[in-house]
Amino acid sequence: DVNCIPIQSLEELLREGIGMHNCVGSYGEMVIEKKCYIYKVMKPERCTLELGISGKHYSIKQLKLAWNKEPTDKTKKIIADWLEYNKGR
C-alpha cells in the first residue's frame, strides 16, 4: 500500500523540510522551475521523495526517512513499482 502526496506549495515544502529534518525546503526554485517534484510519502514508511525529470521521463533521485536516513529495501522497491505503474498517467 502506497500513499504519496505531492507537495504543491513552498509552504508545504518548508514544512516537509522542517518536519523531516532535511534540506528539501531549499528546493523551492527547482520545484517552481519543474526540475523536480517532491512528494510526502506516508506509506509504506514516512519518507520524502524527490523525482527528477528528464524530458518526459521521471526517476527517483532521493528517497529518505527523517534525518536523511535510508528507507528499507522493501520501501525502495514499493516506491519504484509505484513510479513505474504511474508512468504515463
Side-chain angles (χ1 to χ4, degrees), residues 79-89:
I79 297 300
D81 291 347
W82 169 84
L83 179 59
E84 187 63 33
Y85 176 79
N86 286 288
K87 283 184 179 177
R89 292 180 163 232

Side-chain angles (χ1 to χ4, degrees), residues 10-24:
L10 292 177
E11 184 180 333
E12 289 176 7
L13 193 63
L14 290 171
R15 277 198 309 248
E16 181 71 0
I18 291 167
M20 293 296 284
H21 305 279
N22 62 35
C23 66
V24 78

Side-chain angles (χ1 to χ4, degrees), residues 31-85:
V31 170
I32 289 169
E33 294 176 0
K34 297 191 177 184
K35 293 181 178 177
C36 70
Y37 290 101
I38 306 296
Y39 287 79
K40 176 191 269 191
V41 179
M42 305 305 289
K43 286 182 183 179
E45 284 183 276
R46 180 65 179 91
C47 302
T48 303
L49 169 64
E50 176 192 1
L51 294 182
I53 306 159
S54 178
K56 294 183 180 181
H57 302 282
Y58 299 87
S59 62
I60 296 171
K61 292 297 213 180
Q62 297 186 72
L63 180 65
K64 299 289 184 179
L65 302 173
W67 304 98
N68 288 322
K69 294 188 177 186
E70 289 295 318
T72 64
D73 288 341
K74 181 179 178 183
T75 293
K76 291 177 186 178
K77 168 111 174 64
I78 289 169
I79 297 300
D81 291 347
W82 169 84
L83 179 59
E84 187 63 33
Y85 176 79

